[in-house]
Amino acid sequence: MMKDDSNTKSQAELPTRDYYKALHQAALTISSSLELDQVLQSVVISITEAMQVKACGLRLLDQDTGQLQLSAVNGLSNEYLSKGPVNVVNSPIDSEALKGSPVYIPDVRTDARFQYKEAARQEGLVSVLCVPLEVHGNAIGVMRVYTDRQTNFLEDDIQFLSVLASLAALAIENARLYENIRNSYHGVMNAFWGTHVSL
């Protein structure tokens, strides 16, 4: 359950937003470009603005190292981003999200599920919502939003972030498929002509 009403005076709900406009813009961006870095950056910026949160970040899972590598971010300082690697085994919030469910932490400064509590305190982070990025039922990464005050994420907020995460995962899958097709094309043409061919 994402909402905790035990201390409503110290918590706030995100303001009502027209998420449809942000979803439409993200879908247009994803469908009109194969420049993955630009697409993902546009998505995290759209999420930050639409949800009126402090920051948003997207990390992809490196299966070889077990680390979540930063792919796009908006609203976090370089100091915070250089705090250290995000290892799935040391980050229960990400480990849980990678199993397929949204994870909400009311206060990352004190919650044991958050790997870098002191860094979060210095950055002014309080509440975090984390959702998985999934392709064909397999989690390939996570998307997080951060607030600077204790915040209740409503069902609309969770659904919005989950849909954007799905769109981002689709963009990543499309970019990977395009890269595979391009590499296959190069391989065939190089074998046929015995020379380097580029698109």
Side-chain angles (χ1 to χ4, degrees), residues 31-52:
S31 63
S32 64
S33 176
L34 286 171
E35 296 296 328
L36 184 60
D37 291 344
Q38 294 178 13
V39 169
L40 297 182
Q41 190 61 34
S42 175
V43 169
V44 297
I45 290 172
S46 294
I47 290 171
T48 306
E49 294 175 349
M51 296 186 73
Q52 289 198 344

Side-chain angles (χ1 to χ4, degrees), residues 2 10-14 104-106 126-128 147-153 157:
M2 297 297 166
S10 64
Q11 297 180 337
E13 294 178 356
L14 293 174
Y104 163 59
I105 296 183
V126 182
S127 296
V128 169
T147 68
D148 55 7
R149 57 178 178 167
Q150 197 160 340
T151 303
N152 285 325
F153 291 100
D157 306 317

Side-chain angles (χ1 to χ4, degrees), residues 74 86 153 195:
N74 183 56
V86 177
F153 291 100
T195 184

Side-chain angles (χ1 to χ4, degrees), residues 40 44 47 56-62 67-72 86 88 91-103 128-134 138-146 161 164-166 168-169 172:
L40 297 182
V44 297
I47 290 171
C56 178
L58 184 155
R59 290 181 178 270
L60 294 179
L61 178 63
D62 185 326
Q67 293 183 358
L68 286 162
Q69 304 292 344
L70 187 67
S71 294
V86 177
V88 174
S91 181
I93 181 178
D94 295 309
S95 178
E96 187 175 344
L98 288 169
K99 294 177 182 177
S101 299
V103 182
V128 169
L129 176 64
C130 181
V131 300
L133 275 72
E134 295 182 312
N138 297 317
I140 62 170
V142 298
M143 184 176 286
R144 295 182 186 177
V145 291
Y146 307 79
L161 187 60
L164 264 294
S166 296
I172 294 165

Side-chain angles (χ1 to χ4, degrees), residues 23-35:
L23 286 170
H24 181 253
Q25 184 59 47
L28 288 177
T29 301
I30 289 170
S31 63
S32 64
S33 176
L34 286 171
E35 296 296 328

